[in-house]
Amino acid sequence: MHKLCTTLILLLGTIGIFAQQKWTEASKGSFNLVQNQGGQAIGYSPNSGVKILTVAGFAFKDLNKNGQLDPYEDWRLPADVRAKDLASKMSIEQIAGLMLYSRHQSVPARATGYFAGLYKGKPFPESGAKPEDLSDQQIEFLTKDNLRHVLLTTVQSPEIAAKWNNNMQALVEGTGLGIPANNSSDPRHGTVANAEFNAAAGGAISMWPGSLGMAATFDPALVEKFGRIAATEYRALGIATALSPQVDIATDPRWNRFSGTFGEDPFLAAVMAQAYCDGFQTSTGAQEIANGWGYGSVNAMVKHWPGGGSGEAGRDAHFGMGKFAVYPGKQFQTHFIPFINGAFKLKGKTMMASAVMPYYTISWNQDTKNKENVGNSYNKYIITDLMRTKYKYDGVACTDWGITGDETVLDNFTAGKPWGVEKLSIAERHYKVLMAGVDQFGGNNEAKPIIEAYAMGSKEHGEAWMRARMEQSAVRLLKNIFRVGLFENPYLDVENTKQTLGKPEFMAAGYEAQLKSMVLLKNQKQALPLKTGTKVYVPKKFTPAGRNFLGEVTPERMDYPVNINIVKKYFTVTDNPDEADVAIAFISSPNTGNGYQADDVKKGGNGYFPISLQYGEYKATEARAVSIAGGDPLENFTNRTYKDKSVKATNISDLAMVTETYEKMKGKPVIVSINVDNPMVFSEFESKANAILVNFRVQDQAILDILTGKVEPSGLLPMQMPASMSVVEKQAEDAPHDMVCHKDAAGHVYTFGFGMNWKGVIQDARTAKYVPKKK
């Protein structure tokens, strides 16, 4: 087949000498755009050294500058043919670079901290560089290390992002074989809570509820619509891969990544995964190249295989103290459902999510073949035997970020995460990942350890075998770049970017989704909706000093927990509860940290503490006396129990806000609006609230539209709300729907699928389809 294609191309090239030119060219500022009549448009930089070849009258880029049309340069051929041709031409150093996925990149690079970078040896503010310039580190990993997958975080503006993309693409287009950069992003469509929505105005990017909010709509069509809009905005930013969706079923309610999931139900998560990937990956009409892929497509990297939602005691595997996923309920395979029935089995033409990310966790005692307890990306049984062989997944597998680095402390987000292989060298870790069947290394900017791993494989299996293994991964990676049209035109029209990002109809769609995502849990004596102009008391909120996930200090403050200027457009606001007709308390779900306190070790303890879902002090008298899993080179014990230890929420003042407001209102209605990241124990305050409205990261204005009845609530809980922490301790970390739930004063049970509208409890087609029947 390969020889046939090559012969065909040579023949077409000969014919092309005599063919009439079928293309025109125009300058677009930083790049030239070639329009092929009846073919693909081509963008190239006049500064990259790349020339245009005319074959059969059509224009093609001579990316390797050899003066002839190679199969990988021919946009008429299928992506897999082009990928195999290019992989065969690549050096091991180039393949190693393709296997890299950069650390987080900010544009411009920050002067200090985790996202820091330099410009000609100086921090950006002192360098005189433009914000769209490439940093020294970016130039090095793109040229020296041949890296082509870049993780983009914050950008100064859409315009700067577009210009930065064009600068980067021009650099790599003129380097080596001309492989374009495949830029990616973690989810970036979250809300700015205090931002005001105006249907006629645009924004920097459309704002949508968090993943739990999407799940709370129980509406896959809405999620697919989000995917289409988000993909349009991503491509306008130069982003062709989404490091999402996160489809882990959040079966332990304490997990600090619960809010990034579609909840705890495997079947709801599966249909949401399908919708999300179909929305992101599918191009239609003129944008389609082939098989649903094209210039409107964004590769979806679904995460985290085989499911990371069952960390012991709810701890998270970003940290050494949370490295173990446990399965006391014997539900390991239940966690596969969102992948094998969702992301790996799409309804659209692209068929399956083009990439997958295994989680950091050691899936404790689940490797029934090799009996290895190592991180999932190191585990051949989990990657090759299960994912690739049994479930037929042949897309890109990319490690989570930083798994090959060295562990330095148990509770630092930026430390390495080589769970179970801590004693191996960095090169040996890379080799083990490759032998497990993974293609790419997240958070690694340096090709050297991959090249060293290649040498190890050549010594063990022979160079031909190891070369074939490397090419296998290269083909998978290259297909994802070819299919979205980056080899033809990776450049952005800056004006189009400015007009696309956050256009009014996109902003309106996101706002509508926010409205649909909120869940009314309680409405005693029809306390809601409130009349516009009602005199309301909104208590201020105390936020103690703390640290964010990067360890950066956040100061304490006392302020309104809501944009009070927007509130005043709906209500008459008073600071005197005696004058108010109703009070509205805006709070967040309890936060007790990540279940580890380093200071405890200094005092002779093991460092482990409970993660609580209540505000008030919780003592873990019913916790396991001996943990299921344990062990770390930085620990001299394996029992990670926290039995009989106590913890209370850092935001315990939220509870005080509700109880004190209840007292101050002297029987007048108290409305509680809760921003929820995790399930929570409602028994602490539910009796003191006349109405409870739950949201999952929405704008303040959307909450007020519900409270005043401009929109009727329609969301349903995508998870259970436990009756107590005793219930939480007794549930199995890996099992969905296994908790006794809170029952309120009206007899309503806050379980999966529960929600109310103005008429009462919602029972509709969604609840009939997705809510498990009572046994």
Side-chain angles (χ1 to χ4, degrees):
M1 175 67 181
H2 181 76
K3 290 182 179 179
L4 179 62
C5 288
T6 304
T7 303
L8 177 62
I9 287 160
L10 292 172
L11 178 61
L12 289 171
T14 304
I15 296 170
I17 296 171
F18 308 103
Q20 183 179 0
Q21 181 172 307
K22 300 176 183 177
W23 56 272
T24 58
E25 183 171 351
S27 173
K28 293 292 183 178
S30 62
F31 69 100
N32 288 0
L33 187 65
V34 175
Q35 296 284 357
N36 277 300
Q37 182 183 340
Q40 301 299 327
I42 293 173
Y44 75 101
S45 169
N47 300 319
S48 69
V50 166
K51 305 296 183 185
I52 295 297
L53 298 171
T54 300
V55 177
F58 294 114
F60 303 85
K61 285 196 279 190
D62 184 13
L63 290 168
N64 61 3
K65 306 183 183 73
N66 67 352
Q68 64 184 38
L69 183 64
D70 294 284
Y72 87 90
E73 296 165 335
D74 189 345
W75 44 258
R76 298 168 298 182
L77 295 176
D80 59 340
V81 172
R82 299 176 71 186
K84 289 174 184 175
D85 176 66
L86 179 51
S88 72
K89 290 176 166 61
M90 296 174 72
S91 68
I92 290 301
E93 290 75 16
Q94 289 168 328
I95 294 176
L98 192 66
M99 288 177 161
L100 300 174
Y101 224 126
S102 84
R103 300 185 189 105
H104 302 70
Q105 302 296 309
S106 184
V107 178
R110 297 183 189 179
T112 59
Y114 187 61
F115 303 110
L118 300 174
Y119 296 80
K120 295 184 178 178
K122 296 180 180 179
F124 177 73
E126 304 167 18
S127 67
K130 297 176 182 177
E132 65 266 26
D133 288 346
L134 301 179
S135 71
D136 298 346
Q137 289 77 14
Q138 290 163 359
I139 292 170
E140 180 175 6
F141 65 56
L142 290 167
T143 55
K144 177 187 169 187
D145 293 283
N146 298 297
L147 185 149
R148 290 297 180 271
H149 292 81
V150 181
L151 173 54
L152 184 64
T153 57
T154 57
V155 296
Q156 188 177 100
S157 69
E159 179 180 0
I160 295 302
K163 291 179 177 179
W164 174 81
N165 170 80
N166 289 354
N167 287 337
M168 179 169 52
Q169 298 292 6
L171 173 65
V172 298
E173 184 175 74
T175 304
L177 295 165
I179 299 171
N182 180 359
N183 302 327
S184 71
S185 175
D186 283 306
R188 57 193 313 119
H189 282 85
T191 60
V192 178
N194 62 4
E196 186 169 4
F197 172 72
N198 180 337
I205 195 166
S206 59
M207 294 191 287
W208 298 71
S211 294
L212 272 180
M214 296 281 197
T217 69
F218 281 60
D219 185 357
L222 181 149
V223 175
E224 185 170 350
K225 182 178 183 179
F226 160 72
R228 291 196 301 270
I229 290 174
T232 301
E233 293 184 310
Y234 271 27
R235 291 304 299 262
L237 288 169
I239 295 167
T241 294
L243 301 188
S244 56
Q246 184 187 343
V247 304
D248 316 75
I249 51 171
T251 48
D252 192 281
R254 298 163 290 190
W255 188 32
N256 70 9
R257 300 207 67 184
F258 198 110
S259 64
T261 74
F262 293 123
E264 69 177 288
D265 184 77
F267 303 101
L268 179 64
V271 297
M272 293 302 190
Q274 275 183 330
Y276 191 108
C277 295
D278 277 330
F280 266 90
Q281 292 190 168
T282 305
S283 290
T284 58
Q287 287 193 308
E288 183 178 2
I289 297 172
N291 303 317
W293 291 103
Y295 298 104
S297 300
V298 170
N299 293 289
M301 184 182 290
V302 63
K303 54 190 187 184
H304 305 87
W305 175 263
S310 62
E312 184 163 18
R315 293 186 293 265
D316 180 61
H318 277 84
F319 312 96
M321 52 76 181
K323 64 171 69 172
F324 300 107
V326 295
Y327 302 89
K330 297 180 171 50
Q331 296 291 309
F332 182 51
Q333 294 187 25
T334 301
H335 289 251
F336 303 172
I337 291 171
F339 298 91
I340 63 176
N341 292 342
F344 296 175
K345 192 182 290 184
L346 304 184
K347 293 181 177 179
K349 292 163 68 176
T350 65
M351 304 295 288
M352 64 173 60
S354 67
V356 66
M357 182 190 296
Y359 204 36
Y360 295 115
T361 44
I362 295 171
S363 296
W364 187 252
N365 288 344
Q366 298 308 305
D367 180 350
T368 57
K369 182 176 181 180
N370 305 308
K371 310 299 182 185
E372 276 198 304
N373 277 315
V374 293
N376 290 314
S377 287
Y378 293 102
N379 194 302
K380 188 173 183 179
Y381 171 74
I382 286 173
I383 300 301
T384 295
D385 294 343
L386 288 180
M387 186 180 77
R388 296 225 185 269
T389 303
K390 184 173 183 178
Y391 296 114
K392 312 298 183 187
Y393 182 78
D394 193 41
V396 167
C398 176
T399 76
D400 213 328
W401 262 233
I403 75 159
T404 56
D406 289 327
E407 181 185 22
T408 53
V409 292
L410 283 155
D411 62 343
N412 190 311
F413 177 83
T414 60
K417 302 159 181 63
W419 309 148
V421 295
E422 293 89 348
K423 293 180 181 179
L424 297 182
S425 70
I426 289 176
E428 287 170 337
R429 292 171 196 161
H430 281 76
Y431 181 50
K432 188 169 180 63
V433 167
L434 289 174
M435 293 303 98
V438 174
D439 307 296
Q440 198 166 27
F441 299 87
N444 183 359
N445 293 358
E446 299 169 357
K448 183 173 179 286
I450 303 178
I451 297 168
E452 292 173 344
Y454 174 78
M456 292 176 188
S458 296
K459 185 176 180 179
E460 181 176 354
H461 299 285
E463 191 165 359
W465 186 94
M466 194 60 192
R467 167 82 199 192
R469 169 67 191 90
M470 298 283 277
E471 282 194 32
Q472 180 186 45
S473 288
V475 170
R476 290 176 182 143
L477 290 159
L478 289 168
K479 281 169 65 176
N480 288 357
I481 307 177
F482 278 113
R483 292 190 296 199
V484 297
L486 289 174
F487 273 87
E488 277 54 73
N489 183 19
Y491 296 96
L492 300 174
D493 182 318
V494 176
E495 288 304 312
N496 179 67
T497 293
K498 290 161 65 176
Q499 293 169 16
T500 299
L501 267 291
K503 63 169 62 175
E505 56 264 44
F506 293 174
M507 301 298 290
Y511 191 75
E512 181 182 0
Q514 293 178 49
L515 294 169
K516 290 181 177 180
S517 72
M518 283 178 276
V519 183
L520 181 64
L521 293 182
K522 184 177 182 180
N523 196 18
Q524 185 178 352
K525 297 181 180 179
Q526 283 69 54
L528 293 177
L530 300 173
K531 290 183 179 179
T532 303
T534 298
K535 187 172 284 190
V536 303
Y537 166 60
V538 179
K540 291 184 177 180
K541 176 175 179 173
F542 173 72
T543 303
R547 292 181 181 273
N548 64 18
F549 75 101
L550 289 175
E552 299 167 333
V553 175
T554 55
E556 73 171 49
R557 60 191 182 94
M558 182 75 176
D559 202 356
Y560 287 111
V562 64
N563 187 331
I564 201 66
N565 292 321
I566 294 180
V567 176
K568 289 177 179 177
K569 294 184 177 183
Y570 289 78
F571 302 113
T572 301
V573 177
T574 176
D575 288 330
N576 185 351
D578 292 332
E579 296 178 357
D581 298 313
V582 64
I584 309 175
F586 293 87
I587 64 175
S588 298
S589 52
N591 178 9
T592 61
N594 59 19
Y596 188 84
Q597 296 179 19
D599 288 344
D600 183 60
V601 178
K602 298 175 184 176
K603 298 173 184 176
N606 68 357
Y608 293 90
F609 279 78
I611 299 171
S612 176
L613 302 180
Q614 66 184 41
Y615 296 104
E617 185 166 319
Y618 164 64
K619 186 173 183 179
T621 57
E622 297 178 271
R624 295 184 185 109
V626 179
S627 62
I628 293 174
D632 188 280
L634 300 180
E635 296 175 332
N636 59 6
F637 56 85
T638 58
N639 187 5
R640 295 180 161 195
T641 184
Y642 52 88
K643 184 175 173 62
D644 295 326
K645 288 185 177 179
S646 298
V647 70
K648 61 183 177 182
T650 56
N651 60 334
I652 191 172
S653 57
D654 282 13
L655 176 61
M657 180 200 295
V658 175
T659 55
E660 290 171 8
T661 299
Y662 175 77
E663 296 296 331
K664 290 175 182 177
M665 290 302 290
K666 300 172 184 175
K668 291 181 288 187
V670 176
I671 312 300
V672 178
S673 172
I674 316 172
N675 177 46
V676 168
D677 284 332
N678 286 78
M680 56 187 287
V681 176
F682 278 84
S683 57
E684 291 180 294
F685 66 89
E686 178 261 312
S687 63
K688 296 175 174 59
N690 297 81
I692 299 174
L693 180 67
V694 161
N695 78 83
F696 306 96
R697 302 279 172 183
V698 302
Q699 290 170 258
D700 296 340
Q701 187 173 344
I703 298 170
L704 295 167
D705 279 346
I706 296 285
L707 294 180
T708 54
K710 288 183 70 174
V711 178
E712 186 171 25
S714 61
L716 305 170
L717 284 179
M719 73 282 221
Q720 295 183 312
M721 296 295 185
S724 66
M725 278 306 298
S726 174
V727 166
V728 173
E729 291 291 1
K730 293 173 183 175
Q731 57 91 41
E733 284 95 335
D734 60 321
H737 307 304
D738 67 337
M739 292 194 294
V740 176
C741 297
H742 176 77
K743 181 183 287 190
D744 70 12
H748 296 144
V749 179
Y750 296 178
T751 191
F752 175 80
F754 173 75
M756 301 179 69
N757 55 27
W758 304 141
K759 302 177 189 68
V761 177
I762 297 172
Q763 291 184 320
D764 58 16
R766 298 172 300 163
T767 58
K769 183 174 182 178
Y770 294 110
V771 176
K773 301 294 185 291
K774 292 181 180 179
K775 295 180 180 179

